[in-house]
Amino acid sequence: KAGVTQTPRYLIKTRGQQVTLSCSPISGHRSVSWYQQTPGQGLQFLFEYFSETQRNKGNFPGRFSGRQFSNSRSEMNVSTLELGDSALYLCASSLGHRDQETQYFGPGTRLLVL
Amino acid sequence: DAKTTQPPSMDCAEGRAANLPCNHSTISGNEYVYWYRQIHSQGPQYIIHGLKNNETNEMASLIITEDRKSSTLILPHATLRDTAVYYCIVRPGFSNQFYFGTGTSLTVIP
């Protein structure tokens, strides 16, 4: 079974631009979570989507948003990019049953904001 | 939500067992302990999880104390490829909102 895939793998943007990242979960998984990893803050939870609805949300500004499609693929969008948004963005998928959930992570998208 | 405490770094000789401790003294009765590892900025890799019984799989063993306030991840025969940052996570109830701490940077020495 194929793992979680993320596109693109690398991205360079300039301040003020917006960016959209994509995540395809493992087949059959209905939950997709997004995380941001930076050297200073470590791995931080952004949000989780299940059945096209946001189920949990971390403590990030409204510039960070996401959505999930009917095939469980998810996108996250960051608007008005700031230098501090440079990070590794990871998505993780799980079945979505909540009991004994194991999240499986993708390889990440490395975003550099200049 | 229960938080975890791990030593920032550890070394282990290749071929020996690596024992990585984790303290989670505020864990609640229905919260699972999960272990992940991250090799040089790749996506975190799932290792093992447990509730209160000891668990073993092809990668590692998880020993949880009877009071559930701490646990130990055991890599029975560490190899150079096990060099990574290891994260101990207490899964908050039925949420997928994992809190990653700073983890333990394990270096396996030849």
Side-chain angles (χ1 to χ4, degrees):
Chain A
K1 188 182 279 190
V4 178
T5 58
Q6 293 186 244
T7 57
R9 294 293 310 279
Y10 303 92
L11 206 49
I12 300 175
K13 292 286 188 179
T14 56
R15 280 181 298 174
Q17 288 186 310
Q18 74 167 11
V19 67
T20 299
L21 311 181
S22 181
C23 173
S24 293
I26 292 171
S27 177
H29 285 193
R30 297 171 62 193
S31 167
V32 174
S33 297
W34 288 88
Y35 292 80
Q36 180 197 63
Q37 186 172 28
T38 60
Q41 298 298 320
L43 266 158
Q44 292 185 288
F45 174 83
L46 281 156
F47 31 65
E48 179 200 6
Y49 284 86
F50 175 77
S51 290
E52 302 178 65
T53 302
Q54 188 178 87
R55 189 158 71 173
N56 279 305
K57 189 177 189 303
N59 189 27
F60 278 81
R63 300 186 297 108
F64 292 83
S65 63
R67 60 177 176 169
Q68 186 179 36
F69 302 95
S70 58
N71 62 357
S72 295
R73 189 177 69 86
S74 177
E75 290 181 346
M76 69 162 282
N77 183 276
V78 188
S79 63
T80 319
L81 284 166
E82 300 176 0
L83 296 179
D85 297 332
S86 295
L88 179 66
Y89 290 88
L90 295 155
C91 81
S93 77
S94 64
L95 289 168
H97 297 164
R98 293 206 163 190
D99 186 29
Q100 282 206 63
E101 280 285 275
T102 295
Q103 294 189 67
Y104 296 92
F105 285 80
T109 294
R110 186 164 295 281
L111 171 66
L112 177 61
V113 181
L114 301 175
Chain B
D1 298 322
K3 297 298 187 288
T4 62
T5 303
Q6 299 177 253
S9 64
M10 292 181 62
D11 291 338
C12 178
E14 188 178 18
R16 304 296 294 269
N19 296 276
L20 292 90
C22 178
N23 180 284
H24 32 78
S25 58
T26 60
I27 193 170
S28 299
N30 66 343
E31 293 180 324
Y32 283 79
V33 178
Y34 281 76
W35 284 83
Y36 284 78
R37 71 182 182 184
Q38 188 173 28
I39 299 173
H40 194 53
S41 293
Q42 298 176 20
Q45 177 189 23
Y46 166 76
I47 301 172
I48 198 167
H49 73 281
L51 183 63
K52 54 185 176 181
N53 298 319
N54 298 338
E55 303 288 345
T56 296
N57 62 20
E58 65 279 3
M59 288 183 67
S61 294
L62 174 60
I63 308 297
I64 302 174
T65 58
E66 193 169 340
D67 63 7
R68 303 209 324 121
K69 293 185 177 182
S70 65
S71 61
T72 300
L73 177 75
I74 301 173
L75 307 178
H77 304 288
T79 71
L80 299 179
R81 289 178 296 179
D82 292 322
T83 293
V85 177
Y86 287 77
Y87 295 98
C88 168
I89 300 160
V90 172
R91 180 165 176 253
F94 293 109
S95 170
N96 277 337
Q97 187 167 350
F98 280 13
Y99 291 93
F100 287 80
T102 52
T104 295
S105 179
L106 174 70
T107 301
V108 179
I109 303 169

